[in-house]
Amino acid sequence: MATIFSRIVKGEIPSYRIAEDERYFAFLDINPLAEGHALVIPKKEIDYLFDVDDETLAGLILFSKRVAKAIEKTIPCKRIGVAVLGLEVPHAHIHLVPLINESDINFFKPKLKLTTERFKEIAEKISNEFI
Ligand code: 5GP
């Protein structure tokens, strides 16, 4: 069965899309630790990040770098934190989280509740900065 992220890529489930190309897709995490918290995935469905083939993994990191640069330009922060968990969704993904303090990337923290309008606004702004 397709993962929830593959269904997002196909447009079967809506998402706040930031960027995509033939191989990668970036969108806002629905339960963000901070405004601008994004997920970057390979479209190829592979559960565990470190099972991803070298070429796809290298491309995923480079695509994530471009997304991180776009988030930096949009969300006030000191830098973009990177995390890989994968305990919930079995489709390799990289979390990008804007950081001011170390605690901003604490996954035990209560997640932000944002309105649909705010999610859309953030995704659009980041998307506009994506090059
Ligand atoms: P992980 O697998 O890295 O432990 O957690 C999966 C992440 O994906 C969580 O931060 C969760 O909020 C996010 N997530 C799960 N389902 C959806 C979804 O349907 N849409 C979006 N945008 N994010 C999701």
Side-chain angles (χ1 to χ4, degrees), residues 85-96:
L85 288 82
L87 296 172
E88 187 187 323
V89 179
H91 186 140
H93 54 280
I94 293 177
H95 292 258
L96 299 176

Side-chain angles (χ1 to χ4, degrees), residues 4-5 8 13-16 27-33 37 39 83-91 93-95 107 111 119:
I4 195 155
F5 289 171
I8 284 175
I13 293 175
S15 70
Y16 302 103
F27 55 109
L28 292 179
D29 193 306
I30 203 73
N31 301 302
L33 287 170
H37 178 174
L39 302 173
V84 175
L85 288 82
L87 296 172
E88 187 187 323
V89 179
H91 186 140
H93 54 280
I94 293 177
H95 292 258
F107 279 82
K111 308 302 185 291
F119 270 118

